[in-house]
Amino acid sequence: MIARGEETMQRHDPSEFVVPDDFWNRLETKQALRARDAGALFQLVRKYAGASQTGLTMRTGIAKSEISSIMAGRRRVTSLERFESIADGLNMPDASRVELGLAPKVTNGASNGEVPSNPGAHIRTASVASGVWSILPPVRGFRGRRDELRALRQTLHSANDADERVTATAVHGIAGVGKTQLVRAYSQAYRAEYDLGWWIPAETRLDIVTGIGQLAVRLGASEKWSSTELINYLFEDLSARKSWLIVFDNAPSPSVIESFIPRGAGNHGHVIFTSRNPSWQMLATPLGVDVLSIKSASELLSEWSHDNDQESANSLAAELGQLPLAIEQAAAYAAETSVSLSEYLKLFQAERARLLEHGSALAYPSTVAATVTLTLERLSMTSPTALRLLEVCSLCSSEILPIKEFLSAVQNIDDTAEQFDALDRLKIFTELRQSGLLSIDGDNEARLHRLTRTIVRERINDRHHRVTDAAALLNELFPQTPSEPTTWPVCAQLASHAASVLSHAKDADLLSIDLASLLTRMGRYLLCSGLSYADSRNYHAQALQMRQRLHDGDHPEVARGFVHLAVALNELGEPAQARSLHEQALEMRMRWYAGKDHADTAHSLDNLGNVLHILGDYKSARQRHEDGLHMRQRLYLADHPNIAYSLSNLAGDLHKLDDVPRARELNEQALAMRQRLDPGDHPDVAHSFANLAADLRAMGELVEAKRLAEQALAMHNRLYPGDHPNTVRSLQSLAQTYTALGHEADATSLDRQAREMKDRLRSRYQ
């Protein structure tokens, strides 16, 4: 038998695990710290340091069963004491302690009351670190908010001594714009000025009561007390303090939060709300937060992604609309996947909506898509009509949305909206305003951030239905007479949105009468305003094709499509093609109305006569115009714009056929009728001035011709600021009159102006 000597049994000490040097700089560690996710942090320590649950218990002083629950996700660490124990037990470096929301062990300075040059710098003092504080620091990359920080400080320090209310500021802005990070940065920069700072989630009353209760217990209240007792205890405690700061994060509205605001002359504290709802004037000083500058956004992208490609960073920042949440999400995705910013940019442009769902924003608990989707789900329950209108807005362009006008036509997107009154529309407006998805300035200008627009659009359940809703709404708002300059401001306001909706409809190959009508109104506006004849022709061509697909054979809508396309072709200098379409329209209308008098038929007679006139067939043009005039005189027994139109057209034929006296007589009738119908400036009145001036010039009455031609030009200049074909014609007409009068210098000057304007307009024909 072999004898054993003395044997020393050396057991392994579970607490002697070593955390690697690079552990605290790992991206996944930083994410766990910033999310204050102790479970994820323990899992990482176990993975990289080989720590056991027993070892973690020995190092942190937290019971093994509790650590097991934390690591399994059944329990979450929320108290600062627990985090201090974890930080101390893991020998956490100061930089990581700050990311976790704790004070560093060593401090080098405190705030002096000025906005720091780097608002993201974490300013702590040893004395403050021992105080009651639960407000996390901002992300390390926080930047570009010096003006907002200064404004926030000014509003919080502008209290009226006579006002017993606590000084309160509401930091508001769209989802993901960085409200929370701004407030965290302020809290860190000026932490030395407060002996208490507490962060309270405030989305619901339950969240608020819970947060206040936790603070009250921290200050000495009993956990067994009722919520009323806890709130009263907290208010009494705060009234005895010299300075304190409470932040209500993501507060929905003043009505939800007002009863939780401490009051009393003894209070010297500050309250900050973060909210998507801008309507806080009655309770707090509102402070709006906008997106980052391109410079700040691109710097943040480069810093977080560790990619110094400045050109790609600038381009990607612009694509992301400088939205902080999207910027951080993109940077996190690029860093995690080792994708360069240039590669991410290409991916984003190709797969915009899908990519927004991926990536974990370091400063936020959810992705851009998740944040917006949650709000959309709430809207679907609180106001389905508001959600539909928001979806319609997402199909519009990035230009300012005339939200007041949209609400006035809301019945076009909701079958039940016919019963809506002003209060119902105000409720929808309030829901949209408070959602934080739509940025509203004043009572009639709104914007939808480009990323929000993408997400909302991609989550529309029935895209086809919503596109036709949008077309119906815009068609309702679009002026029915886009030929009149007075309607152009409204047309201009709606044109980009109409173009966007029509583009969606074209991509989906949708058909509807509303879409066809919107195409026509867009075409007429572009033609009559002289903005783009080529686009006008394209819109009218699409409208005709859509009408032909909607209606087999003869139909008034198809004939209308022929007419509008023909008018556009005529302006583009293609009268032969225009003649063919006008003839088809006339024949179809004659068949449809069985040869009886009808306004549509009279209109086709006049239009065909106009093209024949341009083609030089004045006799045929005269016949068509006479037929149209007689039909209109039978249809309208008093003054009517269409009768004046026919008189003017027939007068033009007679002038060319050398019956100038008769032409003059008809033009005088047309002018008198138009002035009775439209006493002020009007395109038709100006047209009659020019026509009558031409007759008088031909008859040798040059002085009177000059007077009328000058009136026509002056009116056209007032009606059409800038370049316009009608102004060109007036310049040419007056130049001819000056020539006849022997005023060669004046005539030459006008001819030159007409040529230069015509050259500028020529690009619109391309």
Side-chain angles (χ1 to χ4, degrees):
M1 175 180 290
I2 301 176
R4 290 186 179 179
E6 289 187 354
E7 184 175 348
T8 303
M9 300 295 293
Q10 294 186 355
R11 296 180 179 274
H12 171 67
D13 185 349
S15 67
E16 291 183 352
F17 58 84
V18 178
V19 179
D21 292 339
D22 66 344
F23 176 79
W24 302 107
N25 292 323
R26 300 185 70 89
L27 180 62
E28 53 195 326
T29 304
K30 291 177 178 293
Q31 289 178 307
L33 291 170
R34 289 164 185 161
R36 305 193 89 186
D37 188 341
L41 182 62
F42 285 157
Q43 293 285 5
L44 292 171
V45 174
R46 187 172 187 175
K47 176 181 178 181
Y48 292 106
S52 64
Q53 290 185 9
T54 301
L56 290 169
T57 293
M58 295 174 67
R59 293 276 287 267
T60 64
I62 301 174
K64 186 175 179 179
S65 60
E66 186 176 346
I67 285 183
S68 178
S69 296
I70 292 170
M71 293 179 70
R74 295 190 298 272
R75 179 178 295 187
R76 186 171 180 85
V77 175
T78 57
S79 73
L80 286 176
E81 288 86 354
R82 275 284 187 261
F83 281 120
E84 286 283 2
S85 298
I86 293 170
D88 291 343
L90 297 178
N91 295 320
M92 191 178 294
D94 281 349
S96 298
R97 290 175 64 88
V98 168
E99 286 178 313
L100 186 60
L102 303 175
K105 287 294 187 180
V106 179
T107 170
N108 294 317
S111 170
N112 60 5
E114 294 297 321
V115 177
S117 59
N118 177 8
H122 308 308
I123 302 169
R124 306 273 184 126
T125 65
S127 61
V128 174
S130 63
V132 180
W133 196 270
S134 70
I135 304 175
L136 290 173
V139 293
R140 180 172 295 176
F142 181 86
R143 65 178 70 250
R145 296 295 195 188
R146 287 179 57 79
D147 290 343
E148 290 89 344
L149 282 168
R150 185 177 293 107
L152 178 54
R153 180 168 174 78
Q154 288 174 348
T155 59
L156 288 173
H157 287 77
S158 60
N160 184 346
D161 293 337
D163 193 342
E164 294 188 353
R165 294 181 302 176
V166 172
T167 304
T169 299
V171 178
H172 63 86
I174 63 174
V177 79
K179 305 178 291 292
T180 295
Q181 295 307 310
L182 174 66
V183 175
R184 285 182 177 178
Y186 169 83
S187 303
Q188 280 305 117
Y190 303 107
R191 180 170 177 175
E193 298 181 5
Y194 299 102
D195 60 6
L196 178 149
W198 202 256
W199 192 275
I200 299 177
E203 291 191 55
T204 66
R205 292 182 67 88
L206 179 59
D207 290 333
I208 299 169
V209 171
T210 300
I212 286 179
Q214 290 173 341
L215 176 56
V217 170
R218 176 67 183 277
L219 295 175
S222 171
E223 294 181 349
K224 297 180 181 180
W225 289 356
S226 68
S227 60
T228 301
E229 290 173 323
L230 290 170
I231 292 172
N232 290 336
Y233 179 90
L234 174 62
F235 286 1
E236 289 178 8
D237 182 279
L238 294 179
S239 66
R241 291 178 179 270
K242 291 184 177 180
S243 81
W244 49 266
L245 172 65
I246 293 181
V247 179
F248 292 91
D249 186 41
N250 208 14
S253 66
S255 61
V256 173
I257 207 83
E258 185 173 13
S259 60
F260 299 103
I261 307 303
R263 296 177 184 274
N267 286 324
H268 302 287
H270 292 159
V271 172
I272 302 176
F273 310 110
T274 71
S275 180
R276 298 177 192 175
N277 180 1
S279 302
W280 289 89
Q281 289 86 348
M282 301 301 293
L283 190 62
T285 302
L287 177 63
V289 180
D290 204 349
V291 296
L292 295 169
S293 66
I294 284 286
K295 182 177 183 294
S296 295
S298 62
E299 287 177 353
L300 194 58
L301 275 171
S302 297
E303 180 176 333
W304 278 110
S305 65
H306 307 293
D307 186 339
N308 295 322
D309 182 353
Q310 197 59 51
E311 183 178 351
S312 295
N314 288 339
S315 298
L316 182 55
E319 282 287 336
L320 294 170
Q322 301 123 264
L323 186 70
L325 177 55
I327 294 294
E328 297 206 24
Q329 181 181 329
Y333 182 88
E336 290 170 5
T337 60
S338 298
V339 171
S340 69
L341 292 181
S342 62
E343 291 174 314
Y344 188 96
L345 177 61
K346 293 176 183 177
L347 284 170
F348 186 84
Q349 290 171 333
E351 297 288 346
R352 186 181 301 259
R354 287 178 56 198
L355 200 56
L356 283 169
E357 297 179 351
H358 299 287
S360 176
L362 301 177
Y364 298 89
S366 59
T367 64
V368 178
T371 300
V372 174
T373 299
L374 181 61
T375 305
L376 296 178
E377 290 173 353
R378 290 175 181 167
L379 269 182
S380 68
M381 294 183 288
T382 59
S383 180
T385 304
L387 176 59
R388 290 192 200 101
L389 185 55
L390 187 66
E391 290 173 344
V392 165
C393 291
S394 76
L395 296 168
C396 294
S397 75
S398 59
E399 298 299 317
I400 292 174
L401 297 158
I403 194 66
K404 187 175 182 180
E405 279 73 17
F406 278 15
L407 285 168
S408 72
V410 73
Q411 68 275 6
N412 291 276
I413 63 172
D414 190 336
D415 295 337
T416 66
E418 291 182 0
Q419 303 173 3
F420 282 13
D421 56 19
L423 288 177
D424 294 317
R425 289 181 169 83
L426 179 60
K427 181 180 178 181
I428 296 172
F429 176 81
T430 302
E431 290 282 357
L432 289 173
R433 186 181 179 90
Q434 293 182 352
S435 74
L437 298 182
L438 202 63
S439 177
I440 300 176
D441 183 12
D443 63 352
N444 194 37
E445 289 189 355
R447 286 187 184 275
L448 196 60
H449 190 277
R450 61 192 306 169
L451 299 188
T452 304
R453 188 186 319 114
T454 297
I455 296 166
V456 173
R457 186 187 301 158
E458 291 300 320
R459 279 161 175 71
I460 296 175
N461 291 327
D462 186 351
R463 176 82 69 89
H464 291 186
H465 190 191
R466 201 60 70 237
V467 171
T468 53
D469 281 348
L473 182 144
L474 289 167
N475 198 50
E476 176 73 17
L477 295 175
F478 222 97
Q480 296 186 20
T481 56
S483 58
E484 297 183 8
T486 54
T487 69
W488 293 351
V490 176
C491 292
Q493 190 178 39
L494 299 173
S496 65
H497 303 307
S500 179
V501 170
L502 291 171
S503 177
H504 287 298
K506 185 177 181 181
D507 291 342
D509 195 29
L510 300 182
L511 303 173
S512 78
I513 290 298
D514 281 314
L515 283 167
S517 296
L518 187 58
L519 283 164
T520 297
R521 288 181 182 176
M522 274 288 286
R524 291 185 65 199
Y525 164 59
L526 294 174
L527 180 74
C528 296
S529 65
L531 287 174
S532 175
Y533 297 109
D535 287 337
S536 173
R537 173 181 58 192
N538 292 337
Y539 279 126
H540 285 310
Q542 292 177 49
L544 174 59
Q545 292 171 3
M546 189 175 293
R547 288 185 165 105
Q548 288 174 319
R549 293 172 63 187
L550 286 166
H551 308 286
D552 291 331
D554 292 345
H555 195 278
E557 287 293 321
V558 177
R560 186 171 293 113
F562 281 134
V563 169
H564 288 301
L565 179 56
V567 171
L569 290 169
N570 190 38
E571 288 293 338
L572 281 164
E574 301 176 27
Q577 293 185 48
R579 173 181 179 173
S580 175
L581 293 176
H582 279 311
E583 287 174 341
Q584 292 181 65
L586 178 59
E587 292 168 3
M588 186 175 290
R589 284 169 166 172
M590 292 290 286
R591 292 192 297 269
W592 185 265
Y593 300 116
K596 297 179 181 178
D597 290 348
H598 193 277
D600 288 351
T601 306
H603 192 57
S604 277
L605 286 166
D606 256 339
N607 282 329
L608 182 54
N610 290 342
V611 174
L612 291 169
H613 182 100
I614 290 171
L615 290 170
D617 188 353
Y618 303 123
K619 289 184 179 180
S620 297
R622 173 183 178 176
Q623 184 60 54
R624 295 300 187 187
H625 283 143
E626 283 181 337
D627 291 344
L629 173 61
H630 296 154
M631 187 176 292
R632 280 173 165 160
Q633 287 174 329
R634 292 192 294 271
L635 288 167
Y636 311 112
L637 301 180
D639 288 349
H640 195 280
N642 288 344
I643 293 178
Y645 184 69
S646 289
L647 287 167
S648 179
N649 289 337
L650 180 56
D653 300 329
L654 293 170
H655 187 106
K656 287 294 184 180
L657 292 169
D658 294 328
D659 191 353
V660 178
R662 177 59 177 157
R664 173 183 178 174
E665 180 183 341
L666 296 181
N667 273 323
E668 287 174 338
Q669 292 180 41
L671 175 59
M673 188 176 294
R674 283 169 167 168
Q675 288 179 316
R676 289 193 295 271
L677 291 167
D678 299 290
D681 289 347
H682 193 278
D684 290 346
V685 175
H687 188 62
S688 281
F689 278 142
N691 289 342
L692 189 52
D695 293 335
L696 294 172
R697 185 173 62 246
M699 298 177 70
E701 300 182 28
L702 299 181
V703 175
E704 182 62 13
K706 174 178 173 292
R707 184 183 69 82
L708 292 175
E710 287 174 338
Q711 284 186 268
L713 177 59
M715 189 173 290
H716 278 137
N717 281 328
R718 291 193 297 271
L719 287 167
Y720 311 110
D723 299 337
H724 195 276
N726 288 345
T727 309
V728 172
R729 296 183 187 107
S730 280
L731 286 166
Q732 292 171 333
S733 176
L734 183 56
Q736 292 172 9
T737 304
Y738 280 162
T739 298
L741 285 166
H743 301 166
E744 295 295 341
D746 292 333
T748 300
S749 175
L750 291 174
D751 275 330
R752 184 180 66 256
Q753 292 179 51
R755 285 196 306 273
E756 291 172 352
M757 188 177 293
K758 198 169 185 179
D759 288 341
R760 291 192 295 269
L761 288 166
R762 187 170 290 113
S763 61
R764 304 181 188 180
Y765 289 82
Q766 304 304 315

